Amino acid sequence: MNQRKPFMAANWKMNLKRDESVELVKAIAAQAPDPDRVEVLVAPPFTSIATVKEAIGSAPILLAGQNMHWEPQGAYTGEVSPPMLVEAGCTHVILGHSERRSLFGETDEMIDRKAKSAVRFGLTPIICIGESLKEREEDRTTEVIEAQLRGSLKSFTDQKRLPPAVLLAYEPVWAIGTGETATPEDASQAHGVLRTRLRKVLGDSRAVATPILYGGSVKPENAAELMRAPGVDGVLVGGASLDPVSFLAIARAGVPLT
Ligand code: PGA
């Protein structure tokens, strides 16, 4: 039986000032789906996190940072630490988003350090993994996503210390912000590869409990179909999460139909 609760996450990226963030999260909170049946999370830009936390109040919406440094403090101009995210109200942090990897040079080794540090400070990492168009065309998807997964969780494997919880987000780079979505079959196939690899890295029971989200041009029109794809436990939504009506429609597509 699938013990993973559907997980519907919004990545606001570098969008929305504070008052716009508050307006959006309040609109989501007003109609958030039943938290017993689906988890909803938002990841605002750093400057809005604390204000969004206040606006959420007791509504069932989780909060994540979009990135962090691995050190708890120090001379790292422009960076934000795990304890700072915790203080602002985050329970989760997105790590290794393809925009971080491609635009800011993040490597699997850096993501591994960040994941280890996130867990140390009580944050649940959402680790993003995905192949580029070139890699897909060269038929290297499996090899690339397996290597990213291994590299991003290396410390946990080496030290045989399992994180209390971790989420993966399969985000094929060619589908992010492009309007191109992976087919449900593509998503299932990649999620299957990640789950199999995860068994080797984290062991069977942890691998079964780990949600794997799909990200890349998720919209109200394709969310239900993607959620029905075997192995897809949730979504990580960029563009369509900036509009409350479309994000709520997507979030509702996560509610199981029992
Ligand atoms: P998109 O972004 O939904 O705009 O494609 C997804 C993501 O980058 O997490």
Side-chain angles (χ1 to χ4, degrees), residues 31 45 69 76 89-90 133 156 176 200 212 223 225 248:
Q31 293 186 55
H69 197 275
Y76 300 99
C90 293
L133 182 58
F156 297 117
I176 296 178
K200 298 199 183 112
I212 306 182
E225 184 186 35
L248 279 164

Side-chain angles (χ1 to χ4, degrees), residues 132-149:
S132 66
L133 182 58
K134 183 163 179 287
E135 290 160 343
R136 170 159 284 253
E137 284 173 351
E138 291 169 355
D139 219 3
R140 294 178 51 224
T141 300
T142 299
E143 172 200 335
V144 167
I145 65 177
E146 281 193 329
Q148 285 180 6
L149 177 59

Side-chain angles (χ1 to χ4, degrees), residues 9-13 94 97-99 128 169 171-180 214-219 235-242 250:
N11 173 12
W12 294 352
K13 307 193 180 186
I94 298 173
H97 189 280
S98 68
E99 286 149 18
C128 301
E171 298 211 309
V173 178
W174 48 270
I176 296 178
T178 57
E180 292 270 338
Y214 168 79
S217 297
V218 177
K219 334 178 237 283
V235 289
L236 180 54
V237 191
S241 74
L242 298 173
I250 293 168

